[in-house]
Amino acid sequence: MELKETIYKRQSIRKFTEEEVREEDLLQILDAGRVAPSGKNCQNWHFVVIRSRELKEKIAQAILDKNELISKEIDKKDEEKGLRFRKFVKNFTLFYLGAPVLILVFATTYYPSGYHEYVFADFPREYTDKLFQRNPGMQNIGAAVENMTLRAVDLGYGSCWMTGQGYAAEEIEALMKEEGFEKEGYFLACMLSLGVPQPDPRSPGKKSLEEICTFMD
């Protein structure tokens, strides 16, 4: 597939067929993430590949439990908002149960250029805060995940890059520790569902180039 076609064909897939992801294809998708660019070549990522339905369901339950905890607190102020938040969890996070593969993307903190120098020179905290505002470590993760999503399309698969479960990240991390995965200094950054898309997936429109681009000649 041509690069242009791959880029334009990529979309967030939430409905998958039961067809499995071939082992050799999965390894190619993960390897595409491995070679992504990162600041100072720090490669601050780690991919956890989950194919166990049981484990995927445990992760889903952790998200549901945290969602309900938050929703009950919202109910005290506005039951309609609480209801909307409950609907959100089903529409934007739990659909991955239909995907044959779930990839948890873990990251470690990346200290941007100038951070240690600011600290050593006793600059005020606001200086280092502004460095992290640009979140260069997450830019690295974004590059890795985008590489994987594009390679997936190239191999005939679809994926969905998920961050909506972020409020349950600590609970998911604790669950993974119980299941035997622990990597010191790393935290859950996002998740990626992966599989063969069902026919004719829908996708929301994109902003025009004129809306998001400014030329200064």
Side-chain angles (χ1 to χ4, degrees):
M1 189 180 295
E2 293 291 331
L3 176 59
K4 178 181 177 181
E5 183 183 359
T6 301
I7 292 173
Y8 280 82
K9 190 174 180 180
R10 189 223 62 82
Q11 61 187 114
S12 296
I13 302 298
R14 292 184 171 86
K15 293 183 179 180
F16 301 89
T17 70
E18 295 182 357
E19 185 175 345
E20 296 295 326
V21 177
R22 296 191 302 172
E23 185 75 15
E24 57 267 34
D25 292 342
L26 178 58
L27 291 176
Q28 288 189 54
I29 291 166
L30 292 166
D31 203 54
R34 179 186 67 84
V35 300
S38 61
K40 301 178 184 177
N41 196 33
C42 67
Q43 305 171 65
N44 60 313
W45 45 64
H46 188 90
F47 311 128
V48 178
V49 181
I50 298 173
R51 286 178 281 201
S52 163
R53 173 78 185 191
E54 181 182 1
L55 183 49
K56 284 186 284 186
E57 288 178 348
K58 287 182 180 179
I59 294 171
Q61 192 60 54
I63 298 170
L64 281 170
D65 291 345
K66 187 61 176 289
N67 179 275
E68 184 61 22
L69 178 67
I70 297 170
S71 296
K72 284 181 178 179
E73 292 302 311
I74 297 174
D75 287 341
K76 296 175 183 178
K77 295 186 175 182
D78 190 323
E79 290 187 359
E80 186 177 341
K81 287 185 177 180
L83 179 60
R84 283 203 300 269
F85 192 62
R86 287 181 176 93
K87 289 183 177 179
F88 171 86
V89 72
K90 296 177 182 178
N91 293 338
F92 296 97
T93 57
L94 301 189
F95 63 85
Y96 71 78
L97 288 170
V101 175
L102 178 67
I103 302 172
L104 304 189
V105 182
F106 282 78
T108 188
T109 302
Y110 168 82
Y111 292 94
S113 297
Y115 172 82
H116 295 293
E117 289 75 16
Y118 274 149
V119 172
F120 182 78
D122 295 321
F123 275 75
R125 173 70 179 272
E126 64 185 87
Y127 284 80
T128 55
D129 286 349
K130 286 181 179 179
L131 289 177
F132 280 102
Q133 184 180 33
R134 291 154 182 80
N135 222 334
M138 288 300 99
Q139 292 186 45
N140 301 340
I141 299 301
V145 176
E146 181 72 357
N147 270 15
M148 289 193 284
T149 66
L150 293 178
R151 187 62 175 135
V153 172
D154 190 44
L155 292 169
Y157 301 99
S159 65
C160 188
W161 184 345
M162 295 176 285
T163 59
Q165 72 291 331
Y167 57 82
E170 291 183 1
E171 287 76 10
I172 297 172
E173 291 165 4
L175 171 62
M176 296 305 297
K177 185 176 180 179
E178 291 175 4
E179 294 292 325
F181 171 78
E182 184 178 12
K183 193 167 178 65
E184 187 175 353
Y186 281 73
F187 58 90
L188 179 64
C190 61
M191 305 195 308
L192 187 71
S193 56
L194 180 65
V196 176
Q198 290 189 12
D200 302 318
R202 295 182 180 182
S203 184
K206 302 293 184 181
K207 294 180 180 180
S208 67
L209 190 59
E210 289 76 14
E211 290 180 87
I212 54 91
C213 187
T214 299
F215 291 91
M216 301 178 68
D217 295 328

